[in-house]
Amino acid sequence: MATNASRAAARLMISPAVVLLLGWMLVPLGLTLYFSFLRYNLITPGANPFIGWENYYWFLTDPSFKAAMINTLLLVGGVLLITVIGGTMMALLLDQPMWGQGVIRIMVIAPFFVMPTVSGLVWKNMFMNPVNGIFGHLALGLGMEPLSFFSEIPLLSIIFIVSWQWLPFATLILLTALQSLDQEQLEAAEMDGATWVSRFIHVMLPHLARAITVVILIQTIFLLSIFAEILVTTNGGPGTSTTNLTYLIYVSSLLQFDVGMGSAGGVIAIILANIVAIFLMRMIGKNLDA
Amino acid sequence: MARSVTTSRKTMTTLFAGTLGLLIFFPVLWIVILSFKSEGDAIKAPLEVLFSTGWTAESYSAVQARSDYPKHFLNSVVIAFGSTLLGLLIAIPAAWAMAFVPAKRTKHVLMWMLSTKMLPPVGVLIPIYLIYRDLGILDSRIGLVFVLMMINLPIIIWMLFTYFREIPGEVLEAARMDGASLREEIIHVLAPMAIPGMASTALLNIILAWNEAFWTLNLTSAKAAPLTAFIASYSSPEGLFYAKLSAASVMAIAPILVLGWFSQKQLVRGLTFGAVK
Amino acid sequence: MKLARAMFGATALAAAATTAATAAELTIATVNNSDMIIMQELSSQFEEASGHTLNWVVLEENVLRQRVTTDIATGGGSFDVITIGAYEAPIWGAQDWLAQLDDLGDAYDYDDIFEPVRNGLSANGSLYAVPFYAESSFTFYRTDLFEMAGIEAPDEQITYDEFAEIVAKVHDPDNGVFGTCQRGKAGWGENMAFVGPLVNAFGGRWFDMDWNPTIDSPEWKAALTYYVDLMHSYGPPGAESNGHNENRALFADGKCATWVDATSAAGYIYNPAESSVSDTTGFFQAPKQVTDKGTGWFWAWALAIPASSKQVDAAKEFLSWSTSKEYVALVGETKGWVAAPPGTRASTYANPAYTEAAPFAETVLNSILAANPADATRDPVPYTGVQFVAIPEFQGIGNYVGQQVAAALAGQQSVDEALANSQQFAVREMTKAGYIE
């Protein structure tokens, strides 16, 4: 049992982290909150008068706002769907006995180490470019019209690129979880004459549930602020079809230099992110205690 | 007893998984190939690229002539390792305390820490920029080390926490019963069990810091610019540029790729976030 | 120091190396255009002569603009020399964000710089940026393809309708040649640099005399409909991701029959080391439509010194080296005269070495001198600028409209929707900024 002394020591040990994170959260957040009530445009200097809720009004009525919300959801949801399902299948596959598993694992894990900017640039130019990219050459070779990825399926293309980067992460976590599965339990089920499908549903999937929640939580945190991939491929376009919330705030505060409105957008994004966070925490909290 | 598997089935699995692995790995492989081609060859159809005979390292020398690679590389190393070390220094005591002296609110504190990670960086760039300007640490490694440490701290704490939690408390009790001092307890009992988790956490954090492209681009100009800034200067073509872009990309990702491959066993072992019991 | 700056040129720089009080470390931000890449390559000569060290930050145009603007507007002081355009220079100069550059010395020969270029980079009678190169726009075409199709290149300015007819005849996608390549990548400095003059030609304007946006006008609709139809029928696939650099690569690779773009690209296209069409390229004026006003743009890339720089004197040394007559000659001698930075100095055009190597020299010069930012539209407007509007708010509006145009080009929405969205956005921005109620 923890004594009072050890409690005090524990508090002392936690405090640097808590203080730093609190400062990291409150100082910029406070400033952002403050800016969000000012008319503050970097390129038209002068007094920055207090204008109340005006920035919030402009941001929320921005025609791009709705599109950005939907795109953010589609992007996060799409990537989660692909990586969780794909990752589960990859993990099941890699769990089978085979030769050269180490080499195959090394190949599968590689995209996780690639910088987002590099992967965006490489997919955009070397693969998805309709004139010189590999997909274009392949389509021509098969006698088809090359697909112009970023004009016809822009958001899907981004989802694809991001999924490529995150698939290894999901695969690794799920594979580790799968390998910790009690073999005897599986064999017992096999003896009982359970088919592979029912073994998967009744034995493996429940065992993987925790790992899947972890994958969802961690990836959501990163996927909500996807930025570099969009910046180097589509710049949020065409139109607003690949503008997510992060990118919209970037446009307001760093392309239009309207720091006031960008800050209002930041505050709104923080509120939304926290709603998602609470939701996720509930989900994962339940799963982690179990 | 291990399940017995027929050789033919094992061959099939190997072939299938190998093909899939190769497909996933292909983009990385492809830029390595393109980086050793001439610009004219690099835009040809895939088969023509493979069977064109000329191999050349001219793109690498062109990239090196234009950008000071060693400088960017060194900055990346300092920033990634620096932020990781500093992060571990702060996170280890915190995670330790939360794992071994859990209080009622521990889980809430942990969840709150994770939620700070959801702050969209663009929303707070201008405030940070202004603060950094006033502190005079724009375009400095120190400034970047601090920012990257802060944004990854929640992940570090959480990873370490889930790892430490797996260490059974009874082991400690037993050591204490045997009359071990706190120092001995840490060195002989805890460290061997905790080090793999810390190594894995450090590795993941180095990867994340190495690849971070928002803060590193916006808070640096020349002196502290890491490899993410180096690659940004190749993002739009000047004439034919596939070979040069490939060479620059290979130079930017190779160090972390190699590190990741060599240490993948350590990385994977701790990359469970408590998902495996 | 004053003396060193006054006695300019290679010899003066050698002297500066011995007289310069302290060696400075300069941070230079620039775009990754080919002319700037050459400057970066040659700059080691400046470093040797002056003793200063240069740190280069080379970025793509949009990223550069964002980084530089953030830094200069917050007074971050990260850069000592920045690359800016004819849009930023007067606005930023008027806001005292830039150091004045009227004292680079007699040897710098201000009178040698073309007057419209100088005026475009000045505010309140002071020069705030020195031109690295200047450009207008004209039409590149492939002489071999025109000949094959039996088309005479026009001598007079043709209309966009006539242009479309020509493009239709040379369009040959089966042989990998597209009738025309135009900018589609969203951005006020990218697709809007082509669309802006196009709209001018169709008689449109951004704002009326009371600053009310007029993007939903029939003129805009006619221009955009023309643009989208032209590109869909005769443009390369994925045109909405092609900016200046992408199109230049396509044209140099022989994939385009025509291309209306910056005159400054001519040095690249005519350079056999870079381009496969160097001896089969010709040029004529950018087309007109209902008016010939504002049909060729005016732009200059220039170097400036942020007021927040702590090394203004050393930065000035670099500026007067990199935009001097001697620098032009240095490029001419080391990289070939065709690659010399165009459009800034009379001495370049008086040099037979240049006019011989660059057959386009005279046409380029005439286009630049003819472009008049103060009178670029059929109807009267309260602003200056051909392809941009010289107010701070324009960046945001231009970028948004650029995105909408790109979406229409990509087929994600109709021209009408794009124009309605753009008009709505422009009205919001102008209201927010207090121009209109």
Side-chain angles (χ1 to χ4, degrees), chain A residues 255-278:
Chain A
L255 293 181
Q256 293 165 18
F257 300 104
D258 191 339
V259 178
M261 193 169 96
S263 299
V267 172
I268 290 168
I270 291 167
I271 293 172
L272 290 174
N274 272 294
I275 295 174
V276 176
I278 291 169

Side-chain angles (χ1 to χ4, degrees), chain A residues 96 125 164 210 281 289, chain B residues 9 24 107 111 242 246 274:
Chain A
Q96 305 295 315
N125 290 299
W164 178 72
R210 252 170 97 88
M281 300 301 166
D289 284 339
Chain B
R9 176 151 171 224
I24 292 177
K107 214 180 83 187
M111 291 302 170
Y242 280 17
S246 300

Side-chain angles (χ1 to χ4, degrees), chain C residues 328-348:
Chain C
V328 175
L330 179 65
V331 177
E333 278 148 26
T334 53
K335 299 279 161 184
W337 274 97
V338 71
T344 56
R345 286 180 169 272
S347 54
T348 310

Side-chain angles (χ1 to χ4, degrees), chain B residues 3 9 20 31 71 83 87 103 108 128 137 156 160 176 182 220 233 252 273:
Chain B
R3 283 172 294 170
R9 176 151 171 224
L20 213 58
I31 54 173
K71 182 186 82 177
S83 69
H108 289 124
I128 298 287
I137 50 173
I156 303 187
L160 286 176
R176 220 168 283 157
L182 186 66
T220 64
S233 67
F273 294 96

Side-chain angles (χ1 to χ4, degrees), chain A residues 137 229 285:
Chain A
H137 284 302
E229 291 87 342

Side-chain angles (χ1 to χ4, degrees), chain C residues 51-243:
Chain C
H52 300 314
T53 318
L54 306 178
N55 290 318
W56 291 88
V57 181
V58 184
L59 293 168
E60 191 237 342
E61 186 172 333
N62 287 334
V63 181
L64 174 93
R65 200 166 261 137
Q66 177 247 311
R67 279 291 286 119
V68 165
T69 314
T70 313
D71 191 69
I72 201 164
T74 56
S78 299
F79 305 110
D80 300 302
V81 175
I82 55 178
T83 307
I84 57 174
Y87 166 73
E88 289 95 351
I91 299 177
W92 292 5
Q95 283 165 353
D96 288 328
W97 285 351
L98 302 173
Q100 289 189 11
L101 299 173
D102 295 317
D103 57 348
L104 297 178
D106 294 336
Y108 186 71
D109 199 355
Y110 286 97
D111 292 333
D112 189 40
I113 300 174
F114 295 122
E115 204 186 337
V117 179
R118 242 176 5 199
N119 288 343
L121 301 172
S122 299
N124 311 328
S126 277
L127 194 62
Y128 283 97
V130 285
F132 187 67
Y133 67 79
E135 64 185 31
S136 180
S137 55
F138 63 13
T139 314
F140 294 88
Y141 74 97
R142 290 274 301 283
T143 50
D144 51 339
L145 299 176
F146 271 47
E147 210 169 293
M148 251 176 6
I151 304 165
E152 285 272 326
D155 302 326
E156 303 274 293
Q157 190 174 22
I158 56 171
T159 65
Y160 271 105
D161 288 335
E162 289 162 332
F163 178 69
E165 283 166 29
I166 294 178
V167 165
K169 287 184 199 149
V170 288
H171 183 58
D172 187 9
D174 293 338
N175 289 316
V177 177
F178 300 99
T180 193
C181 296
Q182 306 298 348
R183 298 181 182 195
K185 187 180 183 176
W188 71 263
E190 285 284 9
N191 60 349
M192 294 317 288
F194 174 74
V195 172
L198 180 75
V199 169
N200 291 343
F202 277 76
R205 52 184 174 169
W206 283 92
F207 303 103
D208 68 13
M209 286 305 283
D210 299 318
W211 289 108
N212 292 305
T214 55
I215 304 171
D216 55 356
S217 61
E219 288 88 357
W220 271 81
K221 186 177 175 185
L224 271 203
T225 310
Y226 173 87
Y227 168 72
V228 171
D229 288 349
L230 182 79
M231 295 308 289
H232 280 175
S233 309
Y234 313 117
E240 71 292 327
S241 7
N242 294 346

